[in-house]
Amino acid sequence: MIKRGLSFLFALMFVFSVNVKADEGMWLLSLIGKNYQQMKAQGLKLTPEDIYNVNHASLKDAIIGLGNAQQPFGFFCTGEIISSKGLVLTNHHCGFGQIQAHSSVEHDYLKDGYFAKSYDQEFPADGMVMTRLVSMKDVTKEVLEGVTDDMSETDRAEKIASNIKTIIKAAKKESKYGADVKTMFAGNQFFLFRYETFKDIRLVGAPPQAVGKFGGDTDNWMWPRHTGDFSMFRIYANKDNKPAKYSKDNVPYNPIHHLPVSLKGYEKGDFAMVMGFPGSTERFLTSYGVKEALDISNPTTVKIRTEKLRLMKEDMNTSDKIRIQYASKYAQTANYWKYFQGQSKALKKNHIYEKKQAQEKKLQDWINSDETRKAKYGQAFPLISKFYEDNKSQQLAYTYLLEALIQGPEIILFPMKLRQFAGLLEKPKENEELIKKNAENAIESSKEHWKDYNLPTDKKIFASLLEMYYKNVPAEYQLPIFKDVVAKKFKGNFNKFADEVYKKSVFASEDKFNKFMEKPTKKVLEKDYAYILMKQTIDTYFKLGGGKTDDFRKGKRLFEAALLAMNTDKIYYPDANSTIRLTYGNVGDYQPADAVHYNYYTTTKGILEKEDPTNDEFIVPAKLKELIQNKDYGQYIDKDGTMHVAFTTNNDITGGNSGSPVINGNGELIGTAFDGNWEAMSGDIVFENELQKCINVDIRYTLFIIDKLGGAKNLIDEMTLVK
Ligand code: ARG
């Protein structure tokens, strides 16, 4: 699952879980010793040191977080190194943006796929960075130094922030590695992570979309699945094998460890573990939060996205150019559009609200039965429930702000790039040189944006989504421009307003933007409606406190601390927060409903069963069809005589885990995790023991596609195959 993309918003810190079964749990690597006996009993043949070790090569050295240059540690997906030449395997939908960026009507790699047959055929993956965990360490004591219980939340946050700054600074002084501190259990624990980030990444290959995204949105978030959801990259390093900016002189990275690839397959019940960078879970969301999601944020998000998708699709259907331009944006929007629908459905079906209430009652009773506990944790529930009670209209406004404005038409967020630049324009004479240089940079770095921008499409989205915001958001959170300009000057007509904006704004087209950049002035900027919209959107975002309040954060922290204190005999894992985790369990099937049984693997037979040449989600490329019909599977065939495509395990994953390796008991790669299942879409809130599955591409299907469909035997040859 790919992480939900909120590029400039920092993920809030949420927390973890009770009721730990073998399969549930996103475990911290440095503490994996606690789980070791259980893992061993289930079939793990490695030692804890084989998994995480700071002094020797271990599995973690082959696990890679995918980020972008601006947010290197905001891992949106996971990858694994599978050769001594820095070859990285991840999902197709994780590489989608890069495949799309290199595609054009003439070279449509989305449609046709692409595999480099030699290093010089690999494409620079501009903006993508890949990070390896060097070490991690509990720094709770240092972070909470000087923090007291009677401090105000604001003072507490300030103290913590300044302690973290000191810790990071010291860590960076100690070595060249990157450093990040993340909280676990909502402010109750803190860990320091040391990272090595590689900046020269190249796109190596991807199957055609008809393989990598087979089943499209129809099959998304569902099992049975027949998708070859993979793509490949390569990490390059300088001559000393160290991270370096892109250069022709860089060489393939020689990793500390790479995963051997098993051709032996798996059986039901086999041990399987997944290591990766899950983005966020809310396993300790309260019943109040569940209700809020059901009543407000989920339906609102779905409503806005339905409209956005409709408008994009309308234009994508008119030309190949627009189809390619909007392919990645469409897929991203559609992914969580379907997710939130599934989540609401599953929350109801799996009675999550009632389950949460029961848990909370237990905790309440535990707190109330003792005066010391009452003094310590008594505020947890009142703070949380009051927040949800008071914040209904804020929550609605916040959802609209995110979905209709921040992630709405691109013309709103694009001018954000110029916020600092605008400062320079205050003193044009003094800053002449700087302005010139920055303007040139802005023109250059915006090329990517314009390549995938179609003015009429953005304009349609603008008119429709802004009107939705205007009509549905309470007055208190309206943008001033809607009241002062749209209502007055344009009589509330958003189409007319859009006409004006896209005719006049310097952000409406590449031409206008570049012309403005040749002679940028503060006056033009400040009169520009798009620039004004951007500023008011950001102001409103801060007014809404990022959707939460200090009181809420405090309530949440106490709530989680109380849970830990109530169940001292349990091993807890913190909620996902884009830090590396390990989840273990086994390969297995499930029963989604009465009298229904789903097998734990799919085969190529199902690809032909699903084939529908009239539906672009279910096209089967002619050559693939031929390979399947001729059973031309080579060494990738299963011992049962069929070609497996995907399989299910009960590993505990979420968005950000996309592309994570599924590893057998010997530490060998058997698959790549890429999705969760429809029946357990409430899984980010409560792990569903009987229902929740992790959906994986069988590594042998991946190799079959590379070798037989892609003809890239060169890539197979550099892997370490276990036969
Ligand atoms: N739901 C999966 C994820 O979040 C797969 C998304 C890509 N596939 C698709 N049909 N859009 O990672």
Side-chain angles (χ1 to χ4, degrees), residues 452-481:
D452 293 337
Y453 169 88
N454 183 48
L455 188 151
T457 309
D458 205 56
K459 185 174 159 185
K460 283 199 315 206
I461 295 172
F462 179 95
S464 180
L465 266 48
L466 267 58
E467 182 166 8
M468 282 177 107
Y469 188 98
Y470 182 61
K471 291 207 164 136
N472 292 288
V473 171
E476 201 182 333
Y477 302 108
Q478 280 300 335
L479 302 196
I481 190 173

mmCIF file of all heavy atoms in Angstrom, residues 452-481:
data_model
loop_
_atom_site.group_PDB
_atom_site.id
_atom_site.type_symbol
_atom_site.label_atom_id
_atom_site.label_comp_id
_atom_site.label_asym_id
_atom_site.label_seq_id
_atom_site.Cartn_x
_atom_site.Cartn_y
_atom_site.Cartn_z
ATOM 1 N N ASP A 452 2.932 18.076 -17.044
ATOM 2 C CA ASP A 452 1.743 17.292 -16.708
ATOM 3 C C ASP A 452 0.530 18.155 -16.387
ATOM 4 O O ASP A 452 -0.377 17.740 -15.677
ATOM 5 C CB ASP A 452 2.045 16.384 -15.503
ATOM 6 C CG ASP A 452 3.056 15.315 -15.856
ATOM 7 O OD1 ASP A 452 3.179 14.998 -17.050
ATOM 8 O OD2 ASP A 452 3.729 14.825 -14.937
ATOM 9 N N TYR A 453 0.537 19.374 -16.877
ATOM 10 C CA TYR A 453 -0.544 20.302 -16.545
ATOM 11 C C TYR A 453 -1.322 20.633 -17.801
ATOM 12 O O TYR A 453 -0.739 20.982 -18.831
ATOM 13 C CB TYR A 453 0.086 21.555 -15.936
ATOM 14 C CG TYR A 453 -0.825 22.755 -15.762
ATOM 15 C CD1 TYR A 453 -1.572 22.912 -14.599
ATOM 16 C CD2 TYR A 453 -0.896 23.746 -16.742
ATOM 17 C CE1 TYR A 453 -2.380 24.023 -14.421
ATOM 18 C CE2 TYR A 453 -1.703 24.858 -16.570
ATOM 19 C CZ TYR A 453 -2.442 25.002 -15.414
ATOM 20 O OH TYR A 453 -3.235 26.105 -15.241
ATOM 21 N N ASN A 454 -2.634 20.509 -17.726
ATOM 22 C CA ASN A 454 -3.483 20.896 -18.844
ATOM 23 C C ASN A 454 -4.447 21.967 -18.345
ATOM 24 O O ASN A 454 -5.298 21.690 -17.492
ATOM 25 C CB ASN A 454 -4.246 19.669 -19.363
ATOM 26 C CG ASN A 454 -5.091 20.007 -20.578
ATOM 27 O OD1 ASN A 454 -4.608 20.637 -21.524
ATOM 28 N ND2 ASN A 454 -6.350 19.617 -20.558
ATOM 29 N N LEU A 455 -4.278 23.162 -18.844
ATOM 30 C CA LEU A 455 -5.039 24.298 -18.306
ATOM 31 C C LEU A 455 -6.549 24.055 -18.231
ATOM 32 O O LEU A 455 -7.146 24.246 -17.168
ATOM 33 C CB LEU A 455 -4.708 25.573 -19.099
ATOM 34 C CG LEU A 455 -5.273 26.893 -18.568
ATOM 35 C CD1 LEU A 455 -4.376 28.063 -18.946
ATOM 36 C CD2 LEU A 455 -6.700 27.162 -18.978
ATOM 37 N N PRO A 456 -7.186 23.613 -19.314
ATOM 38 C CA PRO A 456 -8.645 23.437 -19.232
ATOM 39 C C PRO A 456 -9.069 22.433 -18.152
ATOM 40 O O PRO A 456 -10.104 22.614 -17.509
ATOM 41 C CB PRO A 456 -9.014 22.918 -20.627
ATOM 42 C CG PRO A 456 -7.901 23.355 -21.515
ATOM 43 C CD PRO A 456 -6.666 23.332 -20.669
ATOM 44 N N THR A 457 -8.242 21.399 -17.943
ATOM 45 C CA THR A 457 -8.588 20.413 -16.915
ATOM 46 C C THR A 457 -8.482 21.041 -15.525
ATOM 47 O O THR A 457 -9.388 20.911 -14.695
ATOM 48 C CB THR A 457 -7.636 19.194 -16.994
ATOM 49 O OG1 THR A 457 -7.595 18.729 -18.346
ATOM 50 C CG2 THR A 457 -8.094 18.079 -16.088
ATOM 51 N N ASP A 458 -7.375 21.728 -15.297
ATOM 52 C CA ASP A 458 -7.184 22.343 -13.981
ATOM 53 C C ASP A 458 -8.275 23.376 -13.700
ATOM 54 O O ASP A 458 -8.764 23.493 -12.579
ATOM 55 C CB ASP A 458 -5.796 23.000 -13.906
ATOM 56 C CG ASP A 458 -5.302 23.091 -12.461
ATOM 57 O OD1 ASP A 458 -5.236 22.035 -11.792
ATOM 58 O OD2 ASP A 458 -5.007 24.205 -11.993
ATOM 59 N N LYS A 459 -8.658 24.067 -14.735
ATOM 60 C CA LYS A 459 -9.676 25.113 -14.594
ATOM 61 C C LYS A 459 -11.037 24.518 -14.207
ATOM 62 O O LYS A 459 -11.734 25.057 -13.352
ATOM 63 C CB LYS A 459 -9.775 25.874 -15.921
ATOM 64 C CG LYS A 459 -10.694 27.056 -15.901
ATOM 65 C CD LYS A 459 -10.576 27.804 -17.215
ATOM 66 C CE LYS A 459 -11.795 28.665 -17.453
ATOM 67 N NZ LYS A 459 -11.752 29.311 -18.770
ATOM 68 N N LYS A 460 -11.364 23.409 -14.815
ATOM 69 C CA LYS A 460 -12.627 22.740 -14.485
ATOM 70 C C LYS A 460 -12.636 22.292 -13.026
ATOM 71 O O LYS A 460 -13.618 22.445 -12.302
ATOM 72 C CB LYS A 460 -12.804 21.489 -15.365
ATOM 73 C CG LYS A 460 -13.238 21.809 -16.758
ATOM 74 C CD LYS A 460 -13.858 20.714 -17.558
ATOM 75 C CE LYS A 460 -13.399 19.375 -17.674
ATOM 76 N NZ LYS A 460 -13.733 18.631 -18.875
ATOM 77 N N ILE A 461 -11.492 21.701 -12.621
ATOM 78 C CA ILE A 461 -11.371 21.226 -11.240
ATOM 79 C C ILE A 461 -11.477 22.413 -10.285
ATOM 80 O O ILE A 461 -12.146 22.360 -9.255
ATOM 81 C CB ILE A 461 -10.041 20.456 -11.057
ATOM 82 C CG1 ILE A 461 -10.063 19.183 -11.913
ATOM 83 C CG2 ILE A 461 -9.789 20.124 -9.603
ATOM 84 C CD1 ILE A 461 -8.741 18.437 -11.977
ATOM 85 N N PHE A 462 -10.833 23.492 -10.669
ATOM 86 C CA PHE A 462 -10.838 24.723 -9.869
ATOM 87 C C PHE A 462 -12.270 25.215 -9.635
ATOM 88 O O PHE A 462 -12.702 25.404 -8.487
ATOM 89 C CB PHE A 462 -10.012 25.772 -10.622
ATOM 90 C CG PHE A 462 -9.928 27.126 -9.971
ATOM 91 C CD1 PHE A 462 -8.851 27.445 -9.159
ATOM 92 C CD2 PHE A 462 -10.888 28.099 -10.205
ATOM 93 C CE1 PHE A 462 -8.750 28.709 -8.579
ATOM 94 C CE2 PHE A 462 -10.801 29.357 -9.633
ATOM 95 C CZ PHE A 462 -9.723 29.669 -8.816
ATOM 96 N N ALA A 463 -12.996 25.384 -10.721
ATOM 97 C CA ALA A 463 -14.351 25.949 -10.603
ATOM 98 C C ALA A 463 -15.232 25.053 -9.736
ATOM 99 O O ALA A 463 -15.935 25.526 -8.836
ATOM 100 C CB ALA A 463 -14.966 26.131 -11.989
ATOM 101 N N SER A 464 -15.151 23.775 -9.962
ATOM 102 C CA SER A 464 -16.051 22.866 -9.267
ATOM 103 C C SER A 464 -15.687 22.677 -7.789
ATOM 104 O O SER A 464 -16.549 22.736 -6.912
ATOM 105 C CB SER A 464 -16.057 21.529 -9.990
ATOM 106 O OG SER A 464 -16.917 20.659 -9.338
ATOM 107 N N LEU A 465 -14.409 22.437 -7.527
ATOM 108 C CA LEU A 465 -14.004 22.150 -6.144
ATOM 109 C C LEU A 465 -14.064 23.386 -5.239
ATOM 110 O O LEU A 465 -14.426 23.299 -4.070
ATOM 111 C CB LEU A 465 -12.608 21.503 -6.106
ATOM 112 C CG LEU A 465 -12.609 19.968 -6.092
ATOM 113 C CD1 LEU A 465 -13.506 19.365 -7.135
ATOM 114 C CD2 LEU A 465 -11.214 19.403 -6.187
ATOM 115 N N LEU A 466 -13.728 24.539 -5.800
ATOM 116 C CA LEU A 466 -13.811 25.751 -4.981
ATOM 117 C C LEU A 466 -15.267 26.064 -4.621
ATOM 118 O O LEU A 466 -15.571 26.499 -3.514
ATOM 119 C CB LEU A 466 -13.159 26.945 -5.690
ATOM 120 C CG LEU A 466 -11.683 27.173 -5.326
ATOM 121 C CD1 LEU A 466 -10.829 25.960 -5.618
ATOM 122 C CD2 LEU A 466 -11.124 28.401 -6.012
ATOM 123 N N GLU A 467 -16.134 25.796 -5.564
ATOM 124 C CA GLU A 467 -17.554 26.016 -5.284
ATOM 125 C C GLU A 467 -18.043 25.060 -4.186
ATOM 126 O O GLU A 467 -18.817 25.443 -3.300
ATOM 127 C CB GLU A 467 -18.379 25.838 -6.556
ATOM 128 C CG GLU A 467 -19.854 26.104 -6.306
ATOM 129 C CD GLU A 467 -20.666 26.279 -7.581
ATOM 130 O OE1 GLU A 467 -20.119 26.038 -8.678
ATOM 131 O OE2 GLU A 467 -21.845 26.655 -7.461
ATOM 132 N N MET A 468 -17.557 23.828 -4.233
ATOM 133 C CA MET A 468 -17.922 22.861 -3.183
ATOM 134 C C MET A 468 -17.478 23.387 -1.816
ATOM 135 O O MET A 468 -18.202 23.283 -0.829
ATOM 136 C CB MET A 468 -17.243 21.504 -3.434
ATOM 137 C CG MET A 468 -17.905 20.658 -4.494
ATOM 138 S SD MET A 468 -16.958 19.118 -4.748
ATOM 139 C CE MET A 468 -18.037 17.955 -3.988
ATOM 140 N N TYR A 469 -16.283 23.904 -1.780
ATOM 141 C CA TYR A 469 -15.765 24.448 -0.516
ATOM 142 C C TYR A 469 -16.665 25.590 -0.040
ATOM 143 O O TYR A 469 -17.111 25.617 1.104
ATOM 144 C CB TYR A 469 -14.331 24.948 -0.721
ATOM 145 C CG TYR A 469 -13.637 25.352 0.569
ATOM 146 C CD1 TYR A 469 -12.771 24.465 1.210
ATOM 147 C CD2 TYR A 469 -13.834 26.604 1.147
ATOM 148 C CE1 TYR A 469 -12.137 24.814 2.400
ATOM 149 C CE2 TYR A 469 -13.212 26.967 2.334
ATOM 150 C CZ TYR A 469 -12.354 26.069 2.956
ATOM 151 O OH TYR A 469 -11.728 26.410 4.129
ATOM 152 N N TYR A 470 -16.933 26.478 -0.942
ATOM 153 C CA TYR A 470 -17.716 27.675 -0.625
ATOM 154 C C TYR A 470 -19.098 27.316 -0.089
ATOM 155 O O TYR A 470 -19.585 27.889 0.876
ATOM 156 C CB TYR A 470 -17.829 28.526 -1.884
ATOM 157 C CG TYR A 470 -18.578 29.825 -1.698
ATOM 158 C CD1 TYR A 470 -18.122 30.790 -0.804
ATOM 159 C CD2 TYR A 470 -19.732 30.092 -2.428
ATOM 160 C CE1 TYR A 470 -18.800 31.985 -0.635
ATOM 161 C CE2 TYR A 470 -20.415 31.287 -2.277
ATOM 162 C CZ TYR A 470 -19.953 32.228 -1.379
ATOM 163 O OH TYR A 470 -20.627 33.411 -1.209
ATOM 164 N N LYS A 471 -19.706 26.330 -0.713
ATOM 165 C CA LYS A 471 -21.080 25.977 -0.347
ATOM 166 C C LYS A 471 -21.188 25.133 0.917
ATOM 167 O O LYS A 471 -22.253 25.067 1.513
ATOM 168 C CB LYS A 471 -21.733 25.208 -1.503
ATOM 169 C CG LYS A 471 -21.995 26.078 -2.711
ATOM 170 C CD LYS A 471 -23.156 25.544 -3.526
ATOM 171 C CE LYS A 471 -23.677 26.592 -4.480
ATOM 172 N NZ LYS A 471 -23.939 26.012 -5.819
ATOM 173 N N ASN A 472 -20.112 24.476 1.304
ATOM 174 C CA ASN A 472 -20.225 23.512 2.398
ATOM 175 C C ASN A 472 -19.482 23.866 3.681
ATOM 176 O O ASN A 472 -19.741 23.275 4.722
ATOM 177 C CB ASN A 472 -19.741 22.136 1.927
ATOM 178 C CG ASN A 472 -20.679 21.535 0.901
ATOM 179 O OD1 ASN A 472 -21.784 21.111 1.241
ATOM 180 N ND2 ASN A 472 -20.268 21.532 -0.355
ATOM 181 N N VAL A 473 -18.536 24.789 3.580
ATOM 182 C CA VAL A 473 -17.711 25.074 4.755
ATOM 183 C C VAL A 473 -18.311 26.238 5.553
ATOM 184 O O VAL A 473 -18.726 27.237 4.967
ATOM 185 C CB VAL A 473 -16.257 25.381 4.306
ATOM 186 C CG1 VAL A 473 -15.420 25.898 5.460
ATOM 187 C CG2 VAL A 473 -15.629 24.131 3.698
ATOM 188 N N PRO A 474 -18.373 26.086 6.889
ATOM 189 C CA PRO A 474 -18.933 27.157 7.722
ATOM 190 C C PRO A 474 -18.202 28.495 7.525
ATOM 191 O O PRO A 474 -16.997 28.514 7.247
ATOM 192 C CB PRO A 474 -18.714 26.658 9.148
ATOM 193 C CG PRO A 474 -18.415 25.208 9.039
ATOM 194 C CD PRO A 474 -17.934 24.935 7.670
ATOM 195 N N ALA A 475 -18.936 29.574 7.705
ATOM 196 C CA ALA A 475 -18.437 30.926 7.440
ATOM 197 C C ALA A 475 -17.079 31.209 8.083
ATOM 198 O O ALA A 475 -16.200 31.824 7.465
ATOM 199 C CB ALA A 475 -19.452 31.949 7.931
ATOM 200 N N GLU A 476 -16.922 30.723 9.287
ATOM 201 C CA GLU A 476 -15.704 30.960 10.055
ATOM 202 C C GLU A 476 -14.430 30.520 9.315
ATOM 203 O O GLU A 476 -13.360 31.075 9.529
ATOM 204 C CB GLU A 476 -15.862 30.130 11.327
ATOM 205 C CG GLU A 476 -15.046 30.536 12.478
ATOM 206 C CD GLU A 476 -15.314 29.555 13.628
ATOM 207 O OE1 GLU A 476 -16.429 28.967 13.691
ATOM 208 O OE2 GLU A 476 -14.402 29.390 14.420
ATOM 209 N N TYR A 477 -14.571 29.510 8.481
ATOM 210 C CA TYR A 477 -13.387 28.985 7.781
ATOM 211 C C TYR A 477 -13.403 29.255 6.274
ATOM 212 O O TYR A 477 -12.702 28.614 5.509
ATOM 213 C CB TYR A 477 -13.235 27.485 8.052
ATOM 214 C CG TYR A 477 -13.123 27.211 9.525
ATOM 215 C CD1 TYR A 477 -14.174 26.614 10.220
ATOM 216 C CD2 TYR A 477 -11.988 27.603 10.228
ATOM 217 C CE1 TYR A 477 -14.089 26.396 11.587
ATOM 218 C CE2 TYR A 477 -11.894 27.393 11.596
ATOM 219 C CZ TYR A 477 -12.946 26.793 12.265
ATOM 220 O OH TYR A 477 -12.857 26.589 13.609
ATOM 221 N N GLN A 478 -14.226 30.202 5.868
ATOM 222 C CA GLN A 478 -14.227 30.576 4.456
ATOM 223 C C GLN A 478 -12.951 31.345 4.132
ATOM 224 O O GLN A 478 -12.396 32.029 4.982
ATOM 225 C CB GLN A 478 -15.441 31.450 4.138
ATOM 226 C CG GLN A 478 -16.726 30.667 3.954
ATOM 227 C CD GLN A 478 -16.665 29.658 2.823
ATOM 228 O OE1 GLN A 478 -15.891 29.794 1.871
ATOM 229 N NE2 GLN A 478 -17.477 28.612 2.927
ATOM 230 N N LEU A 479 -12.508 31.236 2.904
ATOM 231 C CA LEU A 479 -11.383 32.071 2.496
ATOM 232 C C LEU A 479 -11.949 33.473 2.248
ATOM 233 O O LEU A 479 -12.994 33.620 1.606
ATOM 234 C CB LEU A 479 -10.746 31.554 1.214
ATOM 235 C CG LEU A 479 -10.215 30.122 1.177
ATOM 236 C CD1 LEU A 479 -9.282 29.954 -0.014
ATOM 237 C CD2 LEU A 479 -9.511 29.725 2.456
ATOM 238 N N PRO A 480 -11.254 34.489 2.723
ATOM 239 C CA PRO A 480 -11.744 35.862 2.512
ATOM 240 C C PRO A 480 -12.027 36.161 1.036
ATOM 241 O O PRO A 480 -12.991 36.861 0.720
ATOM 242 C CB PRO A 480 -10.590 36.714 3.040
ATOM 243 C CG PRO A 480 -9.867 35.844 4.007
ATOM 244 C CD PRO A 480 -10.055 34.436 3.563
ATOM 245 N N ILE A 481 -11.218 35.624 0.158
ATOM 246 C CA ILE A 481 -11.381 35.936 -1.270
ATOM 247 C C ILE A 481 -12.739 35.464 -1.807
ATOM 248 O O ILE A 481 -13.314 36.066 -2.710
ATOM 249 C CB ILE A 481 -10.219 35.344 -2.114
ATOM 250 C CG1 ILE A 481 -10.259 35.864 -3.555
ATOM 251 C CG2 ILE A 481 -10.235 33.829 -2.097
ATOM 252 C CD1 ILE A 481 -9.050 35.459 -4.393
#
